[in-house]
Amino acid sequence: MSADLREAFLRIEGVPHHVLVEGTGPVCVLSAGLGMAWYDWDAVTALLTPYRTVVRFDRPGLGLSGPGRAAPTLAAEADRIPHVLDACRLPGPATLVGHSLAGFHCEAAARRHPDRVARLVLVDSSVEEYARPRPAPSLRVGAARACGALLGAAGVPYALGPALRRASVFLARTGGGDPAPYELVRRTYGTSRSLRALLAEHATYADVAAQLAALRRESGLSAGLPVTVLTAGTDRRWLARQRRLAELLDADHRVSPEAGHLLMLDRPHHVAGAVLGD
């Protein structure tokens, strides 16, 4: 990717990935949660670009990226991050910011590729203390994709996808509805491709969590790696789980009590502050 190119479709392991690069300075990668798209980071990106080169990408099937060829695994998602940086010709260590499910991916990338990670920020990350893999992962993924294809053929994503996206964002926020333009939401959530990807990520969630638990036993984080766990809400049980995650990672634990799970929409300045070390 040339220095002045801001948006591109980069073929990584045979799949066209939608990638955006903006700003200047040290590199920061923003990775969205389950089933989400690049534009969910718009507000955070606007705060970071004066100080950071911000990289956003859509995982296979999501956003504007092409459909994936294989079931989601922790190793594949962790390795995808340096693959994206290599494709963008940004090899230096980067700050990795992972929201929800992508918290698993970014932590795993820091463990698998310690030389590529300068800072780790987990934004209301998924937490599974007692993760166990579920049986028949291939069968589950196949069933999820078949369900997505069937619903797609019936026109369900086009008819209901944008409305369901709007509703889920509203429920996951404290600060309002979905700020994304409707036509963009329809373009990204009104397709069988995105529904299949979302269902596949959901079907493999427990497996990915178990794979991270195994990786934690095998590989530590780099000594001195700055880690921030940024938690949304006031629920005591959730805060306690996030606090234990911060202790496990020897991380700075910050709480944004006025934010919902989509913290990057409710309090983007809190995310930007964690990235910049404020």
Side-chain angles (χ1 to χ4, degrees):
M1 175 178 285
S2 64
D4 60 344
L5 184 60
R6 290 296 183 236
E7 184 172 14
F9 287 88
L10 304 177
R11 188 168 292 274
I12 301 171
E13 296 187 335
V15 178
H17 284 63
H18 176 235
V19 181
L20 292 91
V21 180
E22 301 167 83
T24 185
V27 177
C28 172
V29 179
L30 306 179
S31 189
L34 192 154
M36 302 187 74
W38 85 93
Y39 49 76
D40 292 307
W41 293 108
D42 278 354
V44 174
T45 300
L47 296 173
L48 289 177
T49 48
Y51 316 101
R52 295 290 186 271
T53 299
V54 179
V55 179
R56 292 181 280 170
F57 68 96
D58 293 320
R59 293 189 295 277
L62 300 175
L64 298 180
S65 289
R69 298 181 174 183
T73 66
L74 182 70
E77 297 308 330
D79 294 350
R80 192 180 313 283
I81 294 170
H83 288 336
V84 168
L85 291 174
D86 288 341
C88 295
R89 299 178 184 175
L90 296 170
T95 295
L96 305 188
V97 184
H99 170 252
S100 195
L101 172 65
F104 289 166
H105 305 160
C106 290
E107 181 188 337
R111 294 179 185 274
R112 288 173 63 87
H113 306 280
D115 59 320
R116 306 296 298 271
V117 182
R119 179 185 290 270
L120 180 62
V121 179
L122 305 180
V123 180
D124 219 41
S125 176
S126 297
V127 179
E128 295 296 335
E129 298 90 339
Y130 309 106
R132 297 288 186 275
R134 296 169 58 196
S138 298
L139 182 61
R140 282 186 280 110
V141 172
R145 287 178 169 167
C147 178
L150 183 63
L151 293 173
V156 172
Y158 186 82
L160 298 179
L164 292 174
R165 147 80 192 197
R166 293 291 207 212
S168 65
V169 169
F170 178 80
L171 293 173
R173 294 193 62 187
T174 60
D178 189 353
Y182 180 78
E183 287 306 315
L184 192 56
V185 171
R186 176 168 292 285
R187 185 181 177 192
T188 50
Y189 286 89
T191 67
S192 172
R193 168 184 52 78
S194 62
L195 178 59
R196 293 196 307 272
L198 189 155
L199 292 176
E201 288 198 337
H202 187 271
T204 56
Y205 173 85
D207 305 289
V208 169
Q211 290 158 14
L212 178 58
L215 181 61
R216 284 171 174 166
R217 293 190 292 268
E218 299 167 0
S219 303
L221 292 173
S222 296
L225 176 71
V227 182
T228 300
V229 171
L230 183 58
T231 305
T234 58
D235 181 82
R236 286 186 177 183
R237 288 176 295 179
W238 181 241
L239 290 174
R241 296 174 70 190
Q242 291 278 306
R243 185 164 54 250
R244 288 194 292 270
L245 174 63
E247 291 170 354
L248 174 68
L249 303 179
D250 193 23
D252 175 26
H253 186 207
R254 304 184 182 187
V255 179
S256 185
E258 64 273 40
H261 181 55
L262 297 182
L263 205 154
M264 64 280 213
L265 298 183
D266 283 337
R267 293 296 182 272
H269 58 288
H270 289 181
V271 180
V275 171
L276 298 173
D278 295 343

